[in-house]
């Protein structure tokens, strides 16, 4: 099953992607539809081309990200493999729809891309081991952890480069773990104006999704809708001093899930 | 005015601290009562000794903290004064009532105290300068950014030592900036079992409250109820390798605001 979250009738709704159709469901978002134990009623159908797509989990209590988590990237930087995942937080206010314009902040010169596989939690989770953790993952989606490098590197904490309003595309669909072989080997790609800048595979993840969920669940209770960004492969802009400019198109793809297509625009001032 | 947030009639409510009385108000929490432009109706009175106090801002969209922000502490560590505040995030799920038991996690051996002045936001704020920022501060309260040092120091990011469920006492009251001379010179004290471990003054703050609010508002839209912890003075446990143990009482005080009194208890397993 593939579920999107859309704006519909003045609120949010889940929509099932069903071949070329978009079936609006009686559920508040993709996570609720995916987690439902009973079939969710269809409300209407929409043209997939004109629907307004929201972040696939629109109001998570927790958004966590992992720093350096791709083995190829770690090797390229000649760093040792970390013993623990370097976790930092984002706020729900950072999330952006998968087709929305990405406004480049006037206060930053270094907006950079980070294509990522994202985990979405379906059930409360506390103190799990990795074998248990698989069962609380509602599904996977696509994220771009767009980072303002000039702000990120001001201090030892990444947060301020990662917390800009509406800077993190998330979507377009939530896909169940079973349909993705637990995201074991999916290509993760970022293209800017059609040029491939990042191309990694989740096979290279150091801390795998179930491990991340289990690890985080040792210190906080994960809740339905929570989002975990699993890290980004090599090829980010700061490696070559290249950053996003207004008027570009950023395409973020995870194989077998989908693509976020976000045009970049200058801030109004 | 001094407002608490309490559990009342199955939900949350603001309560005005009025001499020895606690007047329950027709407002969902202390922030709503403080920010109201019209007088808030009294509902009933409670015995202050038996009320159930909640985190004074019970459901913030954003909780931000500042690392090293006391000049005396920076000097003691022989560090240079940072050019930018080292900000990291907490989740609302970390907040704890000002009189609640502090459960020491079974997975940490190094639960440590950090007494702090906390800012609570009263109005949406985006792109402010420090002069404007003063006007969006609803008031100040007391926090203890209890930190699991063994987890905090696992990676370069502090988050995982700071994000344990219900680890951050916040309260007991919200006090307006005007009543505190803008928190210019307030003692910040932490006592463990009656022994003073930290005693600083907000006079020593490197980045002051209005500066912090203005700085943060350059990258995210602050919302009513948001909480900013302003940093902790010297005297934390890790300086001497002393950490919290079950059966202690942690008292966290900011002068002219109040005291959080949290007994420590061992986790059930």
């Amino acid at each position: 099953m593939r579920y999107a979250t859309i704006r519909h009738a003045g609120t949010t709704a889940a929509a099932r992607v069903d071949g070329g159709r978009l079936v609006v469901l009686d559920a508040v978002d993709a996570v609720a539809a995916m987690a439902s134990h009973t079939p969710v009623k269809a409300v209407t159908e929409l043209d997939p081309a004109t629907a307004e797509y929201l972040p696939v989990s629109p109001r998570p209590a927790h958004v966590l990200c992992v720093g350096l988590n791709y083995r190829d990237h770690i090797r390229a930087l000649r760093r040792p493999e970390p013993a623990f995942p370097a976790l930092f937080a984002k706020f729900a206010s950072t999330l952006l729809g998968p087709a929305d314009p990405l406004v480049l902040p006037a206060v930053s010169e270094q907006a950079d891309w980070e294509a990522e596989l994202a985990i979405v939690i379906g059930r409360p989770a506390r103190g799990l081991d990795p074998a248990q953790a698989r069962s609380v993952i509602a599904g996977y989606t696509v994220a771009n952890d767009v980072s303002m490098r000039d702000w990120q590197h001001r201090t030892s904490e990444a947060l301020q480069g990662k917390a800009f309003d509406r800077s993190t595309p998330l979507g377009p669909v939530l896909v169940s773990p079973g349909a993705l072989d637990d995201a074991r080997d999916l290509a993760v790609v970022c293209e800017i104006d059609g040029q491939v800048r990042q191309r990694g595979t989740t096979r290279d993840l150091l801390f795998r999704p179930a491990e991340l969920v289990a690890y985080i669940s040792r210190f906080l209770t994960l809740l339905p809708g929570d989002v975990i960004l699993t890290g980004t492969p090599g090829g980010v802009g700061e490696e070559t001093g290249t950053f996003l400019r207004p008027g570009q198109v950023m395409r973020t793809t995870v194989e077998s899930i989908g693509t976020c297509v976000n045009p970049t625009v200058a801030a109004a001032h």
Side-chain angles (χ1 to χ4, degrees), chain A:
Chain A
M1 289 293 197
R2 307 168 70 80
Y3 295 105
T5 299
I6 60 168
R7 192 175 303 287
H8 181 68
T11 182
T12 70
R16 191 176 64 233
V17 182
D18 198 352
R21 305 185 311 163
L22 192 64
V23 181
V24 182
L25 302 173
D26 184 21
V28 293
D29 58 36
V31 189
M34 184 72 91
S36 175
H37 292 295
T38 54
V40 184
K41 206 177 63 176
V43 175
T44 184
E45 282 189 27
L46 289 182
D47 178 355
T50 60
E52 185 183 350
Y53 295 88
L54 298 174
V56 74
S57 178
R59 44 184 100 69
H62 307 107
V63 184
L64 293 109
C65 310
V66 191
L68 216 58
N69 195 28
Y70 276 81
R71 292 177 199 271
D72 62 336
H73 197 190
I74 295 167
R75 277 194 301 268
L77 294 173
R78 296 168 185 275
R79 304 258 199 104
E81 287 192 359
F84 301 102
L87 297 168
F88 56 90
K90 298 193 89 133
F91 298 113
S93 53
T94 63
L95 299 180
L96 181 70
D100 286 347
L102 173 67
V103 177
L104 302 179
V107 297
S108 172
E109 301 291 319
Q110 298 188 353
D112 196 358
W113 51 86
E114 291 197 357
E116 311 208 7
L117 172 76
I119 303 162
V120 180
I121 300 296
R123 295 199 288 125
R126 183 80 176 95
L128 303 186
D129 62 38
Q132 297 167 312
R134 183 184 182 284
S135 71
V136 303
I137 297 176
Y140 294 97
T141 190
V142 181
N144 198 311
D145 182 22
V146 172
S147 303
M148 314 312 156
R149 303 296 184 195
D150 37 7
W151 287 71
Q152 178 184 341
H153 298 311
R154 285 180 171 186
T155 74
S156 62
E157 299 282 341
L159 179 80
Q160 60 196 272
K162 306 276 192 172
F164 280 71
D165 287 343
R166 293 173 58 78
S167 60
T168 308
L170 187 76
V173 290
L174 181 63
V175 182
S176 65
L180 296 168
D181 188 23
D182 291 324
R184 245 181 275 270
D185 187 7
L186 303 176
V188 176
V189 179
C190 185
E191 294 159 277
I192 308 298
D193 283 348
Q195 186 180 355
V196 174
R197 307 304 300 250
Q198 296 182 279
R199 181 184 294 278
T201 159
T202 59
R203 205 174 50 227
D204 263 343
L205 282 173
L206 177 60
F207 299 102
R208 306 203 56 78
E211 287 177 79
L212 290 169
V213 170
Y215 186 83
I216 293 165
S217 82
R218 296 179 71 193
F219 59 87
L220 67 77
T221 305
L222 286 162
L223 297 174
D226 282 356
V227 176
I228 302 167
L229 275 60
T230 59
T232 202
V236 297
E238 69 175 342
E239 292 174 16
T240 57
T242 312
F243 300 103
L244 291 166
R245 299 186 309 276
Q248 295 181 313
V249 176
M250 180 176 77
R251 292 174 59 92
T252 315
T253 301
V254 177
E255 182 185 355
S256 302
I257 300 177
T259 301
C260 295
V261 182
N262 301 94
T264 61
V265 299
H269 58 88

